[in-house]
Amino acid sequence: MSGKRLIYLALGGAGEIGMNCYVYGYGEPDKERLIVVDLGVTFPDMDGSPGVDLIFPDITWLKERRDRIEAIFITHAHEDHVGALAHFWEDLGAPVYARAFTANIARRKMDEKGFSADTVKVREPWPETQKAGPFDVGFAPISHSIPESSGLVIDTPLGRVVHTGDFKIDATPVVGEAFDRAMWDEIAEGGVKALICDSTNVFSEHEGRSEATVGPEIEKLLLDAKGMVVATTFASNVARLKTLAEAGERAGRSIVLMGRAMQRMVEAAVETGVLTGFPSVVPIENAADVPRENLMLIVTGSQGERRAASAQLARGKHFGIEVKDGDLFLFSSKTIPGNERGVIRIMNQFSEKGVDVIDDSSGRYHVSGHANRPDLLAMHDIIKPNVVVPMHGEHRHLRTHAALASSKGRKGVLSPNGTMVDLIEGKPCDFVETGRTYLDGSVQIGALDGVVRDRIRMALNGHVTVTLVIDEDDTPLGEPWCDTMGLPETGRSRQPLAATLEEELGQFVERAKAKVLADDDALEEGLRRAVRNAAQNEIGKKPEVTVVISRLS
Amino acid sequence: MSGKRLIYLALGGAGEIGMNCYVYGYGEPDKERLIVVDLGVTFPDMDGSPGVDLIFPDITWLKERRDRIEAIFITHAHEDHVGALAHFWEDLGAPVYARAFTANIARRKMDEKGFSADTVKVREPWPETQKAGPFDVGFAPISHSIPESSGLVIDTPLGRVVHTGDFKIDATPVVGEAFDRAMWDEIAEGGVKALICDSTNVFSEHEGRSEATVGPEIEKLLLDAKGMVVATTFASNVARLKTLAEAGERAGRSIVLMGRAMQRMVEAAVETGVLTGFPSVVPIENAADVPRENLMLIVTGSQGERRAASAQLARGKHFGIEVKDGDLFLFSSKTIPGNERGVIRIMNQFSEKGVDVIDDSSGRYHVSGHANRPDLLAMHDIIKPNVVVPMHGEHRHLRTHAALASSKGRKGVLSPNGTMVDLIEGKPCDFVETGRTYLDGSVQIGALDGVVRDRIRMALNGHVTVTLVIDEDDTPLGEPWCDTMGLPETGRSRQPLAATLEEELGQFVERAKAKVLADDDALEEGLRRAVRNAAQNEIGKKPEVTVVISRLS
């Protein structure tokens, strides 16, 4: 084994919360055989990525080493772990392994792209394992906010590594497997070289609460409710859906599920046997037959997404159902940072309709799916690794988590995206270029291609199109013409903006020397500058400018 | 007095936290004499108002009643209360009254617009009052997060009204006047018809904490700090600046103020005698002479604003000063909802430089300037009004505050922007069209003018310019030409996008009937549709399209 090493590399997820993609390698340097853990997405926003549909990690490094990839393992079915799989699978061409529920969701995604179901292979949980080159990998059940989440137990010729995946320590998770202390003790028994560990909640100083504490609180709330109740949570949080539905049932309400994602998730959970004993559900089209005070909708859109059911209800009728004065809307969810505006928007829309809105600020109606600081330390103590590598966090989470591990006498290694770590040495051994790519419509573009930069510029500055026709003798035919978009119609002079700009351009063309008129670049630059200066004077801003010179020939 | 009424109308601030503008009127219906309380702004964002500089309330209603306006009163110098004054003053043409510190800030704004200082008149606090038509108005000092904040005591022939302005109940506010229970008791003594009351913190269920509790906590933090310390808060929170500077001084550090707004605020506070005993400050240019462990910067940019000092330091050197591994950055401030992304961005940039970042999540290093729920109720109980009209809040704040008042046996009136209230009857008496206008560069535009909508569309969809030259006989000269902006360079066919679009357009033009070629509207519509469909097919999205047809004549 001399000369061989065991490496870890985050291509995504260690520098943001989202787009998780981790790589493990074993072998001689630069010849390691590789496994990929998770292929997730993150979501665009107007500030940084307007018009973009999805954000992927840049996996160029992996594509260039395609022949060294033994397998892809998916820890759980959240979008930030599985959302990019179908988009990248052809580029990587390795078998995909997951547990049944995760595979069910992954297969739906593969199917949409025209790939067959057997691209994703179902594996039973630990102690069963899957060989992948020099790796032997087991899915160890761990509690989180979606069914069948798994930590990975990764055995290599250089020893064992534990990759927690997303997790919390929950003895009573309502749906799926409780945190199994005995199993993890046994996994740790022979010694673990490195723990690659979720960092999401490292700033939460109190111990985490169990999913089972939520139901009784929600039931109390429902018993006091007079009108219709609408509750939202992440569709993938199947345990919460069950918690909500059962609380509703106990409070004498009929349950209606609303939103495509919600129905898809419940379907997958039932198909895979994960979800049993879910209260019977009334189809949306029959909801109107149920008296409002006996009705509970469970809907998508906990993050205020404009097209989700919650936002639709906030705006007006949806599937014939309308909220009214005296109804109750419950966010059984946390607002992800960055989504505040959308969530607050629908809160106020509901308020305008007289609906009481309850959010998670009391801490009673939602619990996190991630381990808080004391629980992270508990996990370190169970696994007793030589090295702790924090993952699944922004830089500040990773840094704080690494320092936390070090403060307890373990070796905490700060390893953001692109920092390759030798897991036996417990230190960085290489640096890899990482980044993001965008799915934009049907095209994958690089984050730095300038496409999105141009969109942001048009959004900030508006856009002017200047057209000028020039004849065979380099003489302008008529005046330059301006079209504006995203700019005020009039400015300082109170005349139409386009007319003001055209006047300036006309003067520029009149004064322009023959040499300039004959030279597209010089003419374009002159026209651009004239428009920008005239606009600055007239409306106080310099727009983006497209100049089109049509030369007759 | 029969037939006369006392009215209240919010044009801004009751439906959002920001752009406050309230109107009181007394007289016969539709002939009331009016006073204006506050003229504030709110701030744009990429989601809803890209490229916009400031957001104002739409004061068309006031402009149309200009001859009925007796005066403008400014309660305090926060931007959301005074920021629109200089922009609207000419339209309203009434005298402006404020206390000295507020007037100092207001005059700086008026001066920038070329108005003389005496447009803003300084008034002494209650019990002095200012006549304004049928109104007699006193500035009653009240604690908040900026010096000389005032509630207004508004006496009218129909009785007394109290307008709290922004406030908290703070007996030890560090700078300025403590909450004066005896004064407010005396104001309430003869009976108050209506309390128009701040609603910002109605969802905070615990009693508010005093500004004086913050200093000792910050001092402890500073005594443990090894490297340079940088702290940020709102520049206008002069009490916090003093708290920070004094804690720094006690911990043996020299203080440097960084950021224009910071220096301007301290200057105004010193000029008006509000701020005394501020620790001596080291000029930025001498900061390099102070050992890092003895240095404390107090900087602008608590909301992560890209151009503020905090963000500049997070990116690199600023005024020759650079943060380093082992430094400490303190947010002595709350992140305003919607600003999370910017704040998190700089937190992570500091983390990458090895700087420890402390925010207000522990509750130790920041207290709010607004009254929490128990303090709101205390204010109701002190003033004992017949009617409580919640203001300064989103719809959900107003609604909850009104319900809270009602639950305690008072008449809570929900009065969002545009709902005119008869304050004696305690109920709505009219509805007025309200909205927003934008300052965009140097131009005021309506929020619904379509300018910003077009910017958002370009940001989401990209933009294509199509040009076509047509000769005197309605025959195309050459092919249609495409320029793209904010769109991928290639799509499905792997050919340049512009070329693909031009090919489609060329085919369209070739097939086009003479009638279409002769008709600008039909030709433009046909070209637009051809581009959008071709783009949908090639890149999966439909761009915005500008068509320019140049006809030779």
Side-chain angles (χ1 to χ4, degrees):
Chain A
M1 281 190 306
S2 78
K4 300 200 171 167
R5 62 182 188 178
L6 175 60
I7 58 167
Y8 159 87
L9 171 66
L11 295 176
E16 64 271 304
I17 294 178
M19 60 173 219
N20 293 279
C21 179
Y22 307 95
V23 183
Y24 292 88
Y26 171 79
E28 286 171 32
D30 299 321
K31 291 181 187 157
E32 296 91 351
R33 302 302 298 174
L34 308 172
I35 57 172
V36 179
V37 176
D38 293 339
L39 274 168
V41 297
T42 192
F43 297 97
D45 58 55
M46 266 303 277
D47 286 280
S49 43
V52 167
D53 293 282
L54 284 175
I55 301 177
F56 301 135
D58 182 346
I59 60 159
T60 304
W61 188 89
L62 270 182
K63 288 187 201 169
E64 290 170 357
R65 289 156 184 81
R66 176 186 168 127
D67 59 330
R68 287 163 47 191
I69 305 173
E70 299 283 355
I72 300 165
F73 294 87
I74 307 293
T75 59
H76 64 287
H78 276 149
E79 287 297 316
D80 60 332
H81 294 260
V82 71
L85 176 65
H87 297 276
F88 284 148
W89 182 72
E90 268 187 314
D91 292 329
L92 303 180
V96 180
Y97 299 104
R99 293 180 65 197
F101 177 81
T102 310
N104 186 299
I105 298 292
R107 283 171 173 172
R108 287 163 193 252
K109 292 175 179 296
M110 296 298 262
D111 182 60
E112 279 170 22
K113 287 267 168 191
F115 302 126
S116 75
D118 65 9
T119 49
V120 181
K121 295 168 206 316
V122 173
R123 286 299 172 264
E124 293 301 311
W126 178 265
E128 289 198 24
T129 62
Q130 171 65 44
K131 289 285 285 180
F135 298 96
D136 203 10
V137 180
F139 289 93
I142 200 162
S143 37
H144 182 44
S145 50
I146 189 169
E148 295 193 349
S149 286
S150 304
L152 299 182
V153 181
I154 304 173
D155 283 324
T156 78
L158 284 172
R160 176 170 287 183
V161 169
V162 171
H163 179 103
T164 64
D166 293 9
F167 82 104
K168 69 184 290 189
I169 295 182
D170 194 337
T172 51
V174 179
V175 167
E177 300 112 335
F179 186 84
D180 184 347
R181 173 72 200 246
M183 179 195 72
W184 287 105
D185 279 340
E186 180 242 300
I187 286 168
E189 217 168 51
V192 172
K193 300 297 181 194
L195 175 70
I196 287 74
C197 190
D198 184 357
S199 308
T200 314
N201 282 3
V202 69
F203 293 118
S204 299
E205 298 189 15
H206 55 282
E207 216 169 89
R209 281 170 48 219
S210 169
E211 181 64 28
T213 64
V214 175
E217 297 289 345
I218 293 175
E219 186 181 350
K220 269 187 252 167
L221 191 67
L222 296 184
L223 287 170
D224 283 343
K226 301 279 177 283
M228 184 170 71
V229 173
V230 188
T232 185
T233 191
F234 273 107
S236 57
N237 194 337
V238 174
R240 186 65 50 78
L241 299 184
K242 191 174 183 194
T243 296
L244 287 165
E246 286 179 348
E249 195 178 44
R250 288 196 303 271
R253 289 177 181 265
S254 299
I255 309 302
V256 173
L257 297 180
M258 205 181 234
R260 266 195 329 141
M262 197 72 77
Q263 281 153 343
R264 198 165 53 223
M265 276 292 164
V266 169
E267 200 178 286
V270 169
E271 274 178 23
T272 53
V274 161
L275 182 59
T276 53
F278 196 81
S280 70
V281 159
V282 175
I284 294 184
E285 52 275 21
N286 300 346
D289 304 340
V290 181
R292 300 180 74 75
E293 64 272 19
N294 298 126
L295 195 60
M296 177 173 182
L297 313 181
I298 304 178
V299 308
T300 53
S302 67
Q303 301 303 307
E305 304 93 325
R306 274 179 193 274
R307 281 174 291 193
S310 63
Q312 306 261 18
L313 285 168
R315 287 196 292 268
K317 248 186 197 171
H318 189 48
F319 283 102
I321 302 178
E322 197 169 8
V323 297
K324 287 195 180 146
D325 196 14
D327 288 347
L328 179 75
F329 191 95
L330 170 65
F331 284 91
S332 182
S333 55
K334 172 181 173 268
T335 303
I336 293 175
N339 295 343
E340 288 79 3
R341 281 185 209 131
V343 169
I344 288 174
R345 185 191 309 117
I346 71 172
M347 282 182 169
N348 282 310
Q349 288 169 328
F350 281 126
S351 179
E352 286 169 22
K353 292 176 188 294
V355 174
D356 290 320
V357 177
I358 309 280
D359 66 12
D360 78 324
S361 55
S362 71
R364 287 200 286 269
Y365 310 115
H366 174 67
V367 294
S368 171
H370 295 273
N372 290 355
R373 187 179 296 193
D375 305 314
L376 292 174
L377 287 173
M379 192 66 179
H380 297 186
D381 288 342
I382 292 169
I383 303 296
K384 302 182 191 69
N386 298 346
V387 171
V388 174
V389 183
M391 64 164 173
H392 206 278
E394 300 162 12
H395 195 280
R396 61 195 177 115
H397 298 91
L398 307 181
R399 182 167 171 272
T400 301
H401 191 176
L404 186 71
S406 299
S407 76
K408 303 290 179 185
R410 302 192 194 281
K411 192 163 194 174
V413 180
L414 176 59
S415 171
N417 293 339
T419 299
M420 188 187 288
V421 174
D422 182 318
L423 289 177
I424 304 302
E425 299 281 326
K427 57 187 186 195
C429 60
D430 203 355
F431 295 91
V432 166
E433 198 72 38
T434 59
R436 311 179 146 207
T437 62
Y438 295 148
L439 180 68
D440 186 61
S442 55
V443 183
Q444 280 188 35
I445 58 178
L448 304 176
D449 285 2
V451 173
V452 164
R453 180 201 61 207
D454 283 351
R455 285 185 199 162
I456 292 174
R457 286 183 179 166
M458 288 191 289
L460 294 176
N461 307 323
H463 189 207
V464 177
T465 303
V466 178
T467 47
L468 179 60
V469 183
I470 295 190
D471 74 6
E472 300 85 338
D473 309 321
D474 294 338
T475 308
L477 276 177
E479 306 268 299
W481 180 270
C482 281
D483 283 87
T484 69
M485 191 160 182
L487 290 169
E489 291 200 358
T490 61
R492 214 160 61 112
S493 70
R494 312 260 166 197
Q495 300 205 330
L497 174 61
T500 308
L501 299 179
E502 283 164 3
E503 203 170 296
E504 288 289 324
L505 289 177
Q507 289 175 18
F508 168 81
V509 168
E510 224 164 80
R511 285 193 309 264
K513 302 219 166 71
K515 205 174 70 178
V516 170
L517 289 173
D519 176 349
D520 274 1
D521 288 345
L523 184 55
E524 189 177 321
E525 184 49 33
L527 290 168
R528 181 188 315 276
R529 194 175 307 158
V531 164
R532 286 168 62 85
N533 290 342
Q536 176 65 40
N537 184 44
E538 183 68 10
I539 57 168
K541 62 197 299 170
K542 293 191 167 184
E544 302 304 302
V545 182
T546 296
V547 177
V548 184
I549 300 166
S550 305
R551 289 188 186 271
L552 304 183
S553 53
Chain B
M1 279 188 309
S2 78
K4 299 199 171 171
R5 62 182 189 178
L6 174 60
I7 58 167
Y8 158 88
L9 170 67
L11 295 175
E16 62 270 305
I17 293 177
M19 59 173 218
N20 293 279
C21 179
Y22 307 95
V23 183
Y24 292 88
Y26 170 79
E28 286 171 32
D30 298 324
K31 291 180 187 161
E32 296 91 351
R33 303 303 298 174
L34 307 173
I35 58 172
V36 179
V37 177
D38 293 340
L39 274 168
V41 298
T42 193
F43 297 97
D45 58 55
M46 267 303 276
D47 287 279
S49 44
V52 166
D53 293 282
L54 284 175
I55 301 177
F56 301 135
D58 182 345
I59 59 158
T60 305
W61 188 89
L62 270 182
K63 288 187 202 169
E64 290 170 357
R65 288 156 184 80
R66 176 184 169 129
D67 59 332
R68 287 163 48 190
I69 305 174
E70 299 284 355
I72 299 165
F73 294 88
I74 307 293
T75 60
H76 65 286
H78 276 149
E79 288 297 316
D80 59 332
H81 293 260
V82 72
L85 176 66
H87 296 276
F88 285 148
W89 182 73
E90 269 188 314
D91 293 328
L92 303 181
V96 180
Y97 300 105
R99 293 181 64 197
F101 176 81
T102 309
N104 186 298
I105 299 291
R107 283 171 173 173
R108 288 164 193 252
K109 291 175 181 296
M110 295 298 263
D111 183 61
E112 280 170 22
K113 287 267 168 189
F115 303 126
S116 76
D118 64 9
T119 47
V120 182
K121 296 168 206 314
V122 174
R123 286 298 172 264
E124 292 303 310
W126 178 265
E128 290 198 24
T129 62
Q130 171 64 46
K131 288 285 285 180
F135 298 96
D136 202 12
V137 180
F139 289 93
I142 200 161
S143 38
H144 182 44
S145 51
I146 190 169
E148 295 194 347
S149 286
S150 304
L152 299 181
V153 181
I154 304 173
D155 283 325
T156 77
L158 283 173
R160 177 169 286 183
V161 168
V162 171
H163 178 104
T164 64
D166 293 9
F167 82 103
K168 68 184 292 190
I169 294 182
D170 193 337
T172 52
V174 179
V175 166
E177 300 113 334
F179 185 84
D180 185 346
R181 173 73 200 245
M183 178 195 71
W184 287 106
D185 279 339
E186 180 242 299
I187 286 169
E189 217 168 51
V192 172
K193 299 298 182 195
L195 176 69
I196 287 74
C197 190
D198 183 357
S199 309
T200 314
N201 281 5
V202 69
F203 294 118
S204 299
E205 297 189 16
H206 55 282
E207 218 171 86
R209 281 171 48 218
S210 169
E211 182 65 28
T213 63
V214 175
E217 296 289 344
I218 293 176
E219 186 181 350
K220 268 187 253 169
L221 190 68
L222 295 184
L223 287 170
D224 282 344
K226 303 276 177 283
M228 184 169 70
V229 172
V230 187
T232 186
T233 190
F234 272 108
S236 57
N237 194 337
V238 175
R240 185 64 51 78
L241 299 184
K242 192 174 182 192
T243 297
L244 287 165
E246 286 180 348
E249 195 178 43
R250 288 196 302 271
R253 288 175 182 265
S254 299
I255 309 302
V256 173
L257 297 181
M258 205 180 235
R260 266 195 328 141
M262 197 71 79
Q263 281 153 342
R264 198 164 54 223
M265 277 291 164
V266 170
E267 202 178 285
V270 169
E271 274 177 23
T272 52
V274 161
L275 183 60
T276 55
F278 196 83
S280 70
V281 159
V282 175
I284 294 184
E285 52 275 21
N286 300 347
D289 304 340
V290 181
R292 301 181 73 74
E293 63 275 18
N294 298 123
L295 196 58
M296 177 172 181
L297 313 180
I298 304 178
V299 309
T300 52
S302 67
Q303 301 303 308
E305 305 93 323
R306 275 180 191 274
R307 280 174 292 194
S310 64
Q312 305 263 16
L313 286 168
R315 287 197 292 267
K317 249 185 197 170
H318 189 49
F319 284 101
I321 302 177
E322 198 169 6
V323 298
K324 286 195 180 148
D325 196 15
D327 289 347
L328 179 75
F329 190 95
L330 171 64
F331 284 91
S332 181
S333 55
K334 172 180 174 268
T335 303
I336 293 175
N339 294 342
E340 289 79 3
R341 282 186 207 129
V343 169
I344 289 173
R345 184 190 309 117
I346 72 173
M347 283 183 169
N348 283 310
Q349 287 169 328
F350 281 126
S351 179
E352 286 169 23
K353 293 175 188 294
V355 175
D356 290 320
V357 177
I358 309 281
D359 66 13
D360 78 326
S361 56
S362 71
R364 287 199 286 269
Y365 310 115
H366 175 65
V367 295
S368 171
H370 293 273
N372 290 356
R373 186 178 296 193
D375 305 313
L376 291 174
L377 287 173
M379 192 65 178
H380 297 185
D381 287 342
I382 292 170
I383 303 298
K384 301 182 191 68
N386 298 345
V387 170
V388 175
V389 183
M391 65 164 173
H392 205 280
E394 301 162 11
H395 195 282
R396 60 193 178 116
H397 297 92
L398 308 181
R399 183 168 171 272
T400 301
H401 192 177
L404 186 69
S406 300
S407 76
K408 302 290 179 185
R410 301 191 194 282
K411 193 163 193 173
V413 180
L414 176 59
S415 170
N417 294 338
T419 299
M420 187 187 289
V421 174
D422 182 319
L423 289 177
I424 303 302
E425 299 282 325
K427 56 187 186 193
C429 60
D430 203 355
F431 295 91
V432 166
E433 197 72 37
T434 58
R436 312 179 146 207
T437 62
Y438 296 147
L439 180 68
D440 186 60
S442 55
V443 183
Q444 280 189 34
I445 57 178
L448 304 177
D449 286 2
V451 173
V452 164
R453 180 202 60 205
D454 283 351
R455 286 186 198 159
I456 292 173
R457 285 185 180 166
M458 287 191 289
L460 294 176
N461 306 324
H463 189 212
V464 177
T465 302
V466 177
T467 47
L468 179 60
V469 183
I470 295 191
D471 74 7
E472 298 86 338
D473 310 321
D474 294 338
T475 308
L477 277 176
E479 305 268 300
W481 178 269
C482 281
D483 282 86
T484 69
M485 190 160 183
L487 290 169
E489 291 200 359
T490 60
R492 214 160 61 111
S493 70
R494 313 259 165 195
Q495 299 204 332
L497 175 61
T500 307
L501 299 179
E502 283 163 3
E503 203 170 297
E504 289 288 323
L505 288 177
Q507 289 175 18
F508 168 81
V509 168
E510 224 164 80
R511 285 193 310 264
K513 302 217 165 72
K515 205 174 70 178
V516 170
L517 289 172
D519 176 348
D520 274 1
D521 288 346
L523 183 55
E524 190 178 319
E525 184 50 32
L527 290 167
R528 182 189 316 276
R529 194 174 307 157
V531 164
R532 286 168 62 86
N533 289 341
Q536 176 66 39
N537 184 44
E538 183 67 11
I539 58 169
K541 63 197 298 170
K542 293 191 167 182
E544 301 305 301
V545 182
T546 296
V547 177
V548 184
I549 299 166
S550 305
R551 288 188 186 272
L552 305 183
S553 54

